[in-house]
Amino acid sequence: MSGEEQALPPSVMWAQRNNLIFLTICLEDCKNPEIKIDNDKVYFHGLGGTEKKNHEVTIELYKEIDPEKSVKCIRDRNIELILKKKDENGPYWPHLMKDKKKYHWLKVDFNKWKDEDDSEDDVGQSEDLEEMMRQMGGLGGGGDSKPSFNDLEPESDSDDEELPDLE
């Protein structure tokens, strides 16, 4: 192998709402990645994955976003970005990127995807993107969201009965 190794694009998943784009960069153990969110593109560079390889990608977006209102959350298993569309009530984008080419590293995130004509849920309608990240499991600090089992009454269980002696 020669000096500089070619950076690979990481696996990226995306979904959208009328006012948002969800981008998930699927790269484990990526410490201190370089992420630049501009009004027409997203740049990512980081070292990670099981083999600690160099990953880099520039995503030229279909339309403009508002970088000031966009949020990023770096986790152990991935990096999540919520990009606020410039045209907040605009139509769904027909594709994520400016060009219509298909990329092997770019996939639709069906867990977050909602069709344009579906009724909206909690995620995606809130103006507070940080609260939205908390709802999705990002940014930590769930507050009092842990379930309480104090109200449950103990029930008799067959496991509680004594076992007969062995013969």
Short mmCIF file of all heavy atoms in Angstrom, two decimals, residues 28-72:
data_model
loop_
_atom_site.label_atom_id
_atom_site.label_comp_id
_atom_site.label_asym_id
_atom_site.label_seq_id
_atom_site.Cartn_x
_atom_site.Cartn_y
_atom_site.Cartn_z
N GLU A 28 -19.50 3.30 13.10
CA GLU A 28 -19.27 3.04 14.52
C GLU A 28 -17.95 3.62 14.99
O GLU A 28 -16.99 3.71 14.24
CB GLU A 28 -19.26 1.53 14.79
CG GLU A 28 -20.59 0.87 14.57
CD GLU A 28 -20.54 -0.62 14.88
OE1 GLU A 28 -19.49 -1.11 15.30
OE2 GLU A 28 -21.57 -1.27 14.68
N ASP A 29 -17.93 3.97 16.28
CA ASP A 29 -16.70 4.42 16.96
C ASP A 29 -15.97 5.51 16.20
O ASP A 29 -14.75 5.48 16.07
CB ASP A 29 -15.76 3.22 17.19
CG ASP A 29 -16.41 2.14 18.03
OD1 ASP A 29 -17.18 2.50 18.94
OD2 ASP A 29 -16.15 0.96 17.78
N CYS A 30 -16.70 6.49 15.73
CA CYS A 30 -16.10 7.62 15.01
C CYS A 30 -15.93 8.77 16.01
O CYS A 30 -16.90 9.40 16.41
CB CYS A 30 -16.98 8.04 13.84
SG CYS A 30 -16.23 9.34 12.85
N LYS A 31 -14.71 8.98 16.44
CA LYS A 31 -14.40 10.03 17.42
C LYS A 31 -14.02 11.31 16.69
O LYS A 31 -13.25 11.28 15.74
CB LYS A 31 -13.25 9.61 18.34
CG LYS A 31 -13.45 8.27 19.01
CD LYS A 31 -14.56 8.31 20.03
CE LYS A 31 -14.68 6.99 20.75
NZ LYS A 31 -16.02 6.52 20.88
N ASN A 32 -14.58 12.41 17.13
CA ASN A 32 -14.28 13.75 16.60
C ASN A 32 -14.37 13.85 15.07
O ASN A 32 -13.42 14.27 14.41
CB ASN A 32 -12.88 14.18 17.05
CG ASN A 32 -12.74 14.17 18.55
OD1 ASN A 32 -13.62 14.60 19.26
ND2 ASN A 32 -11.63 13.64 19.02
N PRO A 33 -15.52 13.48 14.50
CA PRO A 33 -15.64 13.62 13.04
C PRO A 33 -15.72 15.09 12.64
O PRO A 33 -16.12 15.94 13.44
CB PRO A 33 -16.95 12.89 12.73
CG PRO A 33 -17.75 13.06 13.98
CD PRO A 33 -16.75 13.00 15.11
N GLU A 34 -15.35 15.37 11.40
CA GLU A 34 -15.50 16.72 10.85
C GLU A 34 -16.82 16.74 10.08
O GLU A 34 -16.99 15.98 9.12
CB GLU A 34 -14.32 17.02 9.93
CG GLU A 34 -14.37 18.40 9.33
CD GLU A 34 -13.23 18.67 8.36
OE1 GLU A 34 -12.30 17.83 8.25
OE2 GLU A 34 -13.29 19.71 7.69
N ILE A 35 -17.75 17.59 10.52
CA ILE A 35 -19.06 17.69 9.88
C ILE A 35 -19.31 19.16 9.56
O ILE A 35 -19.26 20.00 10.45
CB ILE A 35 -20.18 17.17 10.81
CG1 ILE A 35 -19.93 15.71 11.17
CG2 ILE A 35 -21.54 17.34 10.13
CD1 ILE A 35 -20.84 15.20 12.28
N LYS A 36 -19.55 19.45 8.29
CA LYS A 36 -19.87 20.81 7.87
C LYS A 36 -21.24 20.79 7.23
O LYS A 36 -21.46 20.05 6.26
CB LYS A 36 -18.83 21.33 6.88
CG LYS A 36 -17.46 21.56 7.47
CD LYS A 36 -16.50 22.07 6.41
CE LYS A 36 -15.09 22.11 6.97
NZ LYS A 36 -14.09 22.27 5.92
N ILE A 37 -22.14 21.59 7.76
CA ILE A 37 -23.49 21.70 7.20
C ILE A 37 -23.61 23.08 6.56
O ILE A 37 -23.61 24.09 7.24
CB ILE A 37 -24.57 21.50 8.30
CG1 ILE A 37 -24.40 20.13 8.95
CG2 ILE A 37 -25.96 21.66 7.70
CD1 ILE A 37 -25.32 19.90 10.14
N ASP A 38 -23.67 23.10 5.22
CA ASP A 38 -23.87 24.34 4.48
C ASP A 38 -25.31 24.39 3.99
O ASP A 38 -26.05 23.40 4.11
CB ASP A 38 -22.91 24.40 3.28
CG ASP A 38 -21.45 24.51 3.73
OD1 ASP A 38 -21.18 25.15 4.75
OD2 ASP A 38 -20.59 23.94 3.03
N ASN A 39 -25.69 25.51 3.37
CA ASN A 39 -27.08 25.61 2.93
C ASN A 39 -27.42 24.70 1.76
O ASN A 39 -28.57 24.40 1.52
CB ASN A 39 -27.45 27.06 2.61
CG ASN A 39 -26.62 27.65 1.49
OD1 ASN A 39 -25.61 27.08 1.08
ND2 ASN A 39 -27.04 28.79 1.01
N ASP A 40 -26.39 24.19 1.04
CA ASP A 40 -26.69 23.33 -0.10
C ASP A 40 -25.95 22.00 -0.07
O ASP A 40 -26.05 21.21 -1.00
CB ASP A 40 -26.39 24.06 -1.41
CG ASP A 40 -24.91 24.42 -1.54
OD1 ASP A 40 -24.18 24.39 -0.53
OD2 ASP A 40 -24.50 24.74 -2.67
N LYS A 41 -25.17 21.73 0.99
CA LYS A 41 -24.46 20.45 1.06
C LYS A 41 -24.06 20.11 2.49
O LYS A 41 -24.03 20.97 3.37
CB LYS A 41 -23.23 20.46 0.15
CG LYS A 41 -22.15 21.41 0.59
CD LYS A 41 -20.99 21.39 -0.41
CE LYS A 41 -20.07 22.53 -0.13
NZ LYS A 41 -19.41 23.07 -1.28
N VAL A 42 -23.78 18.82 2.68
CA VAL A 42 -23.29 18.31 3.96
C VAL A 42 -21.98 17.59 3.68
O VAL A 42 -21.91 16.75 2.78
CB VAL A 42 -24.31 17.34 4.60
CG1 VAL A 42 -23.74 16.70 5.86
CG2 VAL A 42 -25.61 18.05 4.90
N TYR A 43 -20.95 17.93 4.47
CA TYR A 43 -19.65 17.28 4.34
C TYR A 43 -19.36 16.50 5.61
O TYR A 43 -19.59 17.00 6.72
CB TYR A 43 -18.55 18.34 4.11
CG TYR A 43 -17.16 17.76 4.18
CD1 TYR A 43 -16.61 17.07 3.10
CD2 TYR A 43 -16.38 17.89 5.33
CE1 TYR A 43 -15.33 16.53 3.16
CE2 TYR A 43 -15.10 17.35 5.40
CZ TYR A 43 -14.59 16.68 4.31
OH TYR A 43 -13.33 16.14 4.39
N PHE A 44 -18.87 15.27 5.44
CA PHE A 44 -18.49 14.43 6.58
C PHE A 44 -17.12 13.82 6.32
O PHE A 44 -16.84 13.34 5.22
CB PHE A 44 -19.51 13.31 6.79
CG PHE A 44 -19.05 12.28 7.78
CD1 PHE A 44 -19.24 12.47 9.14
CD2 PHE A 44 -18.39 11.14 7.36
CE1 PHE A 44 -18.78 11.54 10.05
CE2 PHE A 44 -17.92 10.20 8.27
CZ PHE A 44 -18.12 10.40 9.62
N HIS A 45 -16.28 13.84 7.36
CA HIS A 45 -15.00 13.15 7.30
C HIS A 45 -14.71 12.60 8.70
O HIS A 45 -14.84 13.31 9.69
CB HIS A 45 -13.87 14.11 6.88
CG HIS A 45 -12.54 13.42 6.83
ND1 HIS A 45 -11.65 13.51 7.86
CD2 HIS A 45 -11.99 12.61 5.90
CE1 HIS A 45 -10.57 12.79 7.56
NE2 HIS A 45 -10.76 12.23 6.37
N GLY A 46 -14.37 11.32 8.77
CA GLY A 46 -14.08 10.72 10.06
C GLY A 46 -13.38 9.39 9.93
O GLY A 46 -13.40 8.75 8.88
N LEU A 47 -12.77 8.99 11.03
CA LEU A 47 -12.08 7.72 11.12
C LEU A 47 -12.93 6.81 12.01
O LEU A 47 -13.25 7.18 13.13
CB LEU A 47 -10.69 7.94 11.76
CG LEU A 47 -9.70 6.81 11.68
CD1 LEU A 47 -9.26 6.59 10.23
CD2 LEU A 47 -8.48 7.13 12.53
N GLY A 48 -13.31 5.63 11.51
CA GLY A 48 -14.15 4.76 12.31
C GLY A 48 -14.43 3.44 11.66
O GLY A 48 -13.80 3.05 10.68
N GLY A 49 -15.40 2.73 12.23
CA GLY A 49 -15.74 1.40 11.76
C GLY A 49 -14.87 0.36 12.44
O GLY A 49 -13.95 0.69 13.20
N THR A 50 -15.14 -0.89 12.18
CA THR A 50 -14.40 -1.97 12.83
C THR A 50 -12.92 -1.96 12.46
O THR A 50 -12.08 -2.35 13.24
CB THR A 50 -15.01 -3.35 12.48
OG1 THR A 50 -15.09 -3.45 11.06
CG2 THR A 50 -16.38 -3.50 13.09
N GLU A 51 -12.62 -1.50 11.24
CA GLU A 51 -11.22 -1.49 10.79
C GLU A 51 -10.57 -0.12 10.93
O GLU A 51 -9.47 0.09 10.45
CB GLU A 51 -11.15 -1.97 9.34
CG GLU A 51 -11.65 -3.40 9.19
CD GLU A 51 -11.68 -3.85 7.74
OE1 GLU A 51 -11.23 -3.10 6.85
OE2 GLU A 51 -12.17 -4.97 7.50
N LYS A 52 -11.28 0.84 11.57
CA LYS A 52 -10.76 2.20 11.78
C LYS A 52 -10.23 2.83 10.48
O LYS A 52 -9.12 3.30 10.40
CB LYS A 52 -9.64 2.20 12.84
CG LYS A 52 -10.11 1.79 14.21
CD LYS A 52 -10.96 2.88 14.80
CE LYS A 52 -11.39 2.51 16.21
NZ LYS A 52 -12.77 2.82 16.44
N LYS A 53 -11.10 2.78 9.45
CA LYS A 53 -10.72 3.32 8.15
C LYS A 53 -11.18 4.76 8.03
O LYS A 53 -12.07 5.22 8.72
CB LYS A 53 -11.32 2.48 7.03
CG LYS A 53 -10.65 1.14 6.86
CD LYS A 53 -11.04 0.49 5.57
CE LYS A 53 -10.24 -0.78 5.39
NZ LYS A 53 -10.45 -1.39 4.11
N ASN A 54 -10.58 5.44 7.07
CA ASN A 54 -10.89 6.82 6.76
C ASN A 54 -12.17 6.87 5.92
O ASN A 54 -12.25 6.18 4.90
CB ASN A 54 -9.70 7.39 5.98
CG ASN A 54 -9.56 8.87 6.15
OD1 ASN A 54 -10.20 9.48 6.99
ND2 ASN A 54 -8.70 9.45 5.35
N HIS A 55 -13.16 7.67 6.33
CA HIS A 55 -14.42 7.80 5.59
C HIS A 55 -14.68 9.28 5.30
O HIS A 55 -14.46 10.13 6.16
CB HIS A 55 -15.59 7.22 6.38
CG HIS A 55 -15.53 5.74 6.52
ND1 HIS A 55 -14.73 5.09 7.41
CD2 HIS A 55 -16.19 4.77 5.85
CE1 HIS A 55 -14.89 3.78 7.29
NE2 HIS A 55 -15.78 3.56 6.35
N GLU A 56 -15.20 9.52 4.09
CA GLU A 56 -15.46 10.90 3.70
C GLU A 56 -16.56 10.93 2.64
O GLU A 56 -16.61 10.06 1.77
CB GLU A 56 -14.18 11.52 3.13
CG GLU A 56 -14.31 12.96 2.74
CD GLU A 56 -12.98 13.53 2.26
OE1 GLU A 56 -12.24 12.83 1.55
OE2 GLU A 56 -12.70 14.68 2.60
N VAL A 57 -17.44 11.93 2.75
CA VAL A 57 -18.49 12.09 1.75
C VAL A 57 -18.96 13.54 1.74
O VAL A 57 -18.99 14.20 2.79
CB VAL A 57 -19.67 11.12 1.99
CG1 VAL A 57 -20.46 11.47 3.24
CG2 VAL A 57 -20.60 11.05 0.79
N THR A 58 -19.30 14.03 0.56
CA THR A 58 -19.96 15.33 0.41
C THR A 58 -21.30 15.05 -0.26
O THR A 58 -21.35 14.44 -1.33
CB THR A 58 -19.12 16.29 -0.46
OG1 THR A 58 -17.87 16.50 0.19
CG2 THR A 58 -19.83 17.63 -0.62
N ILE A 59 -22.36 15.49 0.38
CA ILE A 59 -23.71 15.27 -0.14
C ILE A 59 -24.25 16.61 -0.64
O ILE A 59 -24.52 17.50 0.16
CB ILE A 59 -24.63 14.68 0.96
CG1 ILE A 59 -24.08 13.33 1.42
CG2 ILE A 59 -26.06 14.55 0.45
CD1 ILE A 59 -24.78 12.76 2.64
N GLU A 60 -24.33 16.74 -1.97
CA GLU A 60 -24.89 17.94 -2.59
C GLU A 60 -26.42 17.81 -2.53
O GLU A 60 -26.98 16.95 -3.21
CB GLU A 60 -24.43 18.06 -4.04
CG GLU A 60 -22.93 18.11 -4.21
CD GLU A 60 -22.35 19.51 -4.09
OE1 GLU A 60 -23.11 20.49 -4.20
OE2 GLU A 60 -21.13 19.61 -3.89
N LEU A 61 -27.06 18.63 -1.73
CA LEU A 61 -28.49 18.49 -1.47
C LEU A 61 -29.36 18.97 -2.63
O LEU A 61 -28.99 19.89 -3.37
CB LEU A 61 -28.86 19.25 -0.20
CG LEU A 61 -28.15 18.75 1.06
CD1 LEU A 61 -28.37 19.72 2.21
CD2 LEU A 61 -28.62 17.36 1.42
N TYR A 62 -30.54 18.36 -2.76
CA TYR A 62 -31.50 18.68 -3.81
C TYR A 62 -31.92 20.15 -3.74
O TYR A 62 -32.01 20.83 -4.75
CB TYR A 62 -32.71 17.76 -3.67
CG TYR A 62 -33.82 18.06 -4.65
CD1 TYR A 62 -33.70 17.72 -5.98
CD2 TYR A 62 -34.99 18.69 -4.22
CE1 TYR A 62 -34.72 18.00 -6.89
CE2 TYR A 62 -36.01 18.97 -5.12
CZ TYR A 62 -35.87 18.63 -6.45
OH TYR A 62 -36.87 18.91 -7.34
N LYS A 63 -32.21 20.64 -2.53
CA LYS A 63 -32.60 22.03 -2.31
C LYS A 63 -31.87 22.56 -1.09
O LYS A 63 -31.18 21.83 -0.39
CB LYS A 63 -34.11 22.14 -2.10
CG LYS A 63 -34.93 22.11 -3.36
CD LYS A 63 -36.34 22.54 -3.06
CE LYS A 63 -37.10 22.78 -4.35
NZ LYS A 63 -38.45 23.26 -4.07
N GLU A 64 -32.10 23.82 -0.78
CA GLU A 64 -31.40 24.45 0.34
C GLU A 64 -32.00 24.08 1.68
O GLU A 64 -33.21 23.83 1.80
CB GLU A 64 -31.40 25.97 0.17
CG GLU A 64 -30.48 26.45 -0.92
CD GLU A 64 -30.21 27.94 -0.84
OE1 GLU A 64 -30.86 28.65 -0.06
OE2 GLU A 64 -29.33 28.39 -1.58
N ILE A 65 -31.12 24.09 2.68
CA ILE A 65 -31.52 23.88 4.08
C ILE A 65 -31.04 25.09 4.88
O ILE A 65 -30.31 25.94 4.37
CB ILE A 65 -30.89 22.59 4.66
CG1 ILE A 65 -29.36 22.65 4.58
CG2 ILE A 65 -31.43 21.36 3.96
CD1 ILE A 65 -28.67 21.59 5.41
N ASP A 66 -31.44 25.14 6.14
CA ASP A 66 -31.00 26.21 7.05
C ASP A 66 -29.97 25.62 8.01
O ASP A 66 -30.33 24.95 8.98
CB ASP A 66 -32.20 26.77 7.81
CG ASP A 66 -31.85 27.98 8.64
OD1 ASP A 66 -30.65 28.22 8.88
OD2 ASP A 66 -32.78 28.70 9.05
N PRO A 67 -28.67 25.86 7.76
CA PRO A 67 -27.64 25.25 8.60
C PRO A 67 -27.71 25.70 10.05
O PRO A 67 -27.35 24.96 10.96
CB PRO A 67 -26.32 25.71 7.97
CG PRO A 67 -26.64 26.43 6.72
CD PRO A 67 -28.11 26.66 6.68
N GLU A 68 -28.20 26.93 10.29
CA GLU A 68 -28.27 27.46 11.66
C GLU A 68 -29.28 26.70 12.51
O GLU A 68 -29.12 26.58 13.72
CB GLU A 68 -28.65 28.95 11.63
CG GLU A 68 -27.67 29.82 10.86
CD GLU A 68 -26.28 29.82 11.50
OE1 GLU A 68 -26.21 29.95 12.72
OE2 GLU A 68 -25.30 29.69 10.76
N LYS A 69 -30.34 26.21 11.89
CA LYS A 69 -31.40 25.51 12.62
C LYS A 69 -31.25 23.99 12.58
O LYS A 69 -32.07 23.28 13.12
CB LYS A 69 -32.77 25.90 12.06
CG LYS A 69 -33.12 27.34 12.31
CD LYS A 69 -34.50 27.65 11.78
CE LYS A 69 -34.87 29.10 12.02
NZ LYS A 69 -36.16 29.44 11.42
N SER A 70 -30.20 23.50 11.92
CA SER A 70 -29.98 22.07 11.82
C SER A 70 -29.22 21.58 13.05
O SER A 70 -28.50 22.34 13.69
CB SER A 70 -29.20 21.75 10.55
OG SER A 70 -29.97 22.12 9.41
N VAL A 71 -29.40 20.28 13.38
CA VAL A 71 -28.84 19.71 14.60
C VAL A 71 -28.05 18.45 14.26
O VAL A 71 -28.43 17.70 13.36
CB VAL A 71 -29.98 19.33 15.58
CG1 VAL A 71 -29.43 18.70 16.84
CG2 VAL A 71 -30.83 20.53 15.92
N LYS A 72 -26.95 18.22 14.99
CA LYS A 72 -26.19 16.98 14.83
C LYS A 72 -25.98 16.33 16.18
O LYS A 72 -25.84 17.01 17.19
CB LYS A 72 -24.87 17.23 14.10
CG LYS A 72 -23.96 18.20 14.79
CD LYS A 72 -22.75 18.49 13.92
CE LYS A 72 -21.99 19.68 14.46
NZ LYS A 72 -20.99 20.18 13.57
#
